[in-house]
Amino acid sequence: MPSEPINVAFQQTAAIQSAVAAALCRRTPQLTPMDFPERFNMADYFLYHNLEEGRENKACLYFKDQTYTYGEAARMSNRVGNALQNPGVKMEDRVLIVLPDCPEFVWTWFGAARIGAVITMVNPLLPADDYRYYLEVTYARARRDRA
């Protein structure tokens, strides 16, 4: 049974927010400074807000001959997020995703983002020996692949 959505959000400091807004305005004069939310999570922004707006049964993802709804995507992403937390992945820990373009990639990406993990990705067609290097260089605490 899927658990409740994982309620974790990434927080940005006011200094970073101000610096980013100022830099954007200097590079693009037509932009004006904007207020960043105190908490921002990519999974909430792209996936979970659709549930709050009543789109649970609307199509979210098409893959080959299958269609997945926002509700299904959220449930599967929650499962992955919970599975990542079981071995101790926490906010700002890195997760290495080694998956092709498929629904599992989507569930893993949103699940990792939802718990506040830093997402790193590599090509799943690389030789197996290369993965040790990427695990070391990214300091990934977890790896998600099809194996």
Side-chain angles (χ1 to χ4, degrees), residues 3-105:
S3 63
E4 293 298 311
I6 303 158
N7 190 13
V8 176
F10 177 77
Q11 294 184 343
Q12 295 183 335
T13 65
I16 292 173
Q17 294 171 7
S18 296
V20 169
L24 285 173
C25 289
R26 279 193 302 275
R27 284 192 205 136
T28 315
Q30 69 270 22
L31 289 179
T32 58
M34 62 183 177
D35 292 325
F36 261 58
E38 183 64 30
R39 294 175 181 259
F40 183 79
N41 185 287
M42 295 293 283
D44 290 336
Y45 184 80
F46 285 109
L47 176 61
Y48 292 92
H49 88 276
N50 286 291
L51 302 179
E52 295 167 8
E53 295 187 14
R55 297 186 190 105
E56 183 172 349
N57 296 315
K58 299 282 186 182
C60 165
L61 176 69
Y62 298 97
F63 182 74
K64 296 186 179 182
D65 61 346
Q66 295 179 307
T67 301
Y68 298 92
T69 66
Y70 284 104
E72 291 169 324
R75 283 187 288 281
M76 294 305 294
S77 297
N78 287 342
R79 287 183 185 170
V80 172
N82 288 332
L84 288 169
Q85 286 183 317
N86 284 340
V89 175
K90 299 180 289 295
M91 184 184 285
E92 297 185 14
D93 283 344
R94 287 157 182 81
V95 173
L96 181 65
I97 301 175
V98 187
L99 290 169
D101 293 339
C102 62
E104 291 83 6
F105 176 89

